[in-house]
């Protein structure tokens, strides 16, 4: 079974929490800082959240540049200036829509100057019999990175977000939260190191589209017709941005 993560800051749109919106190289950027009060209101973890929405004219190079700047911003927010970064690709490589994390890991260039990159793709528990968190935690304890970057496919309840944005946060990520199969979260509290999460919403429930997510429709999930291309292109951009951060 695939463990899609929940869209990171979607709930913030529903309760209209304060945000700062701006445009960078033609890409719309929405920046939200969730403090303790807002965390209680929207049910999201404390942290800085960024949503990048490219347009139809945005080139992969431009998107990669803006994504790289956003990753650097979140790394600074975490107070990390040097050391090792462990890139974690979550999900199931045997399911196209859930293979984003794995595809990113395949494209990571290990080593580096500003930061030294290493990468793992722990797979889902249905394949290994071991929870992804347990694998990541063991490696973090042994490898002692300064930062973890976790990548996963996201679930959304907003159709206009499907395959149409990149989300990043310093709050970490909870695999499986998007399909009511929550797993232990990867965050600073559980791993004892800062975690930057990156995701792309590629799946939505039929119930969300029909406006009835508590009924039978909620059992069925949809992905874009060109999801294989979206996964491949998104993986290219994310991996390129992370690789450039290490230079």
């Amino acid at each position: 079974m695939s463990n899609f993560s929940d869209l990171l800051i979607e709930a913030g749109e529903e309760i209209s929490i304060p945000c700062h919106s701006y445009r960078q190289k033609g890409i719309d950027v929405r920046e939200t800082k969730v403090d303790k009060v807002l965390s209680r209101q929207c049910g999201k973890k404390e942290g800085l959240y960024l949503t990048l929405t490219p347009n139809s004219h945005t080139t992969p190079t431009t998107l990669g540049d803006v994504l790289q700047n956003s990753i650097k911003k979140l790394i600074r927010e975490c107070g990390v200036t040097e050391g090792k970064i462990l890139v974690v690709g979550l999900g199931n490589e045997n399911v196209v829509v859930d293979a984003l994390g794995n595809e990113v890991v395949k494209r990571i260039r290990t080593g580096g100057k500003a930061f030294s990159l290493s990468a793992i793709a722990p797979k889902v528990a249905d394949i290994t019999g071991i929870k992804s968190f347990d694998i990541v935690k063991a490696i973090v304890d042994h490898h002692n990175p300064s930062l973890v970057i976790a990548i996963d496919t996201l679930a959304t309840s907003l159709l206009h977000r499907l395959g149409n944005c990149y989300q990043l946060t310093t709050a970490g990520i909870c695999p499986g939260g998007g399909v009511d199969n929550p797993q232990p979260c990867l965050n600073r509290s559980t791993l004892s190191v800062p975690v930057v999460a990156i995701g792309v919403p590629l799946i939505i429930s039929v119930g969300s589209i029909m406006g009835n997510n508590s009924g039978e429709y909620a059992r069925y999930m949809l992905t874009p017709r060109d999801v294989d291309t979206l996964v491949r292109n998104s993986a290219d951009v994310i991996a390129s941005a992370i690789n450039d951060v290490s230079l």
Side-chain angles (χ1 to χ4, degrees), residues 12-157:
E13 299 181 6
E14 297 169 2
I15 64 171
S16 300
I17 63 177
C19 71
H20 174 50
S21 297
Y22 53 94
R23 183 164 290 183
Q24 190 173 112
K25 295 188 176 182
I27 295 174
D28 291 327
V29 181
R30 178 188 176 101
E31 182 175 320
T32 306
K33 187 68 174 286
V34 176
D35 57 18
K36 290 183 179 179
V37 174
L38 291 178
S39 178
R40 288 194 296 268
Q41 292 177 346
C42 69
K44 296 297 179 181
K45 301 290 187 181
E46 294 178 51
L48 179 61
Y49 295 77
L50 301 178
T51 300
L52 279 55
T53 306
N55 58 58
S56 58
H57 302 294
T58 303
T59 66
T61 299
T62 298
L63 179 56
D65 288 344
V66 175
L67 185 59
Q68 178 191 347
N69 290 336
S70 298
I71 294 172
K72 287 181 176 179
K73 182 171 189 173
L74 295 191
I75 292 176
R76 290 194 299 270
E77 180 76 11
C78 291
V80 177
T81 59
E82 61 182 357
K84 297 180 288 188
I85 293 179
L86 175 64
V87 181
V88 177
L90 300 169
N92 186 348
E93 64 180 340
N94 298 318
V95 179
V96 173
V97 68
D98 200 23
L100 177 63
N102 287 265
E103 290 301 316
V104 170
V105 163
K106 292 177 183 178
R107 294 162 169 77
I108 293 297
R109 296 194 304 265
T110 57
K113 296 180 180 179
F115 295 97
S116 178
L117 298 181
S118 54
I120 61 165
K123 303 183 184 296
V124 293
D126 287 355
I127 293 177
T128 64
I130 306 172
K131 291 181 179 179
S132 298
F133 172 82
D134 292 335
I135 296 173
V136 175
K137 176 62 173 172
I139 293 175
V140 167
D141 289 346
H142 176 76
H143 189 56
N144 194 30
S146 301
L147 177 84
V148 169
I149 297 180
I151 302 101
D152 200 6
T153 294
L154 303 178
T156 180
S157 61

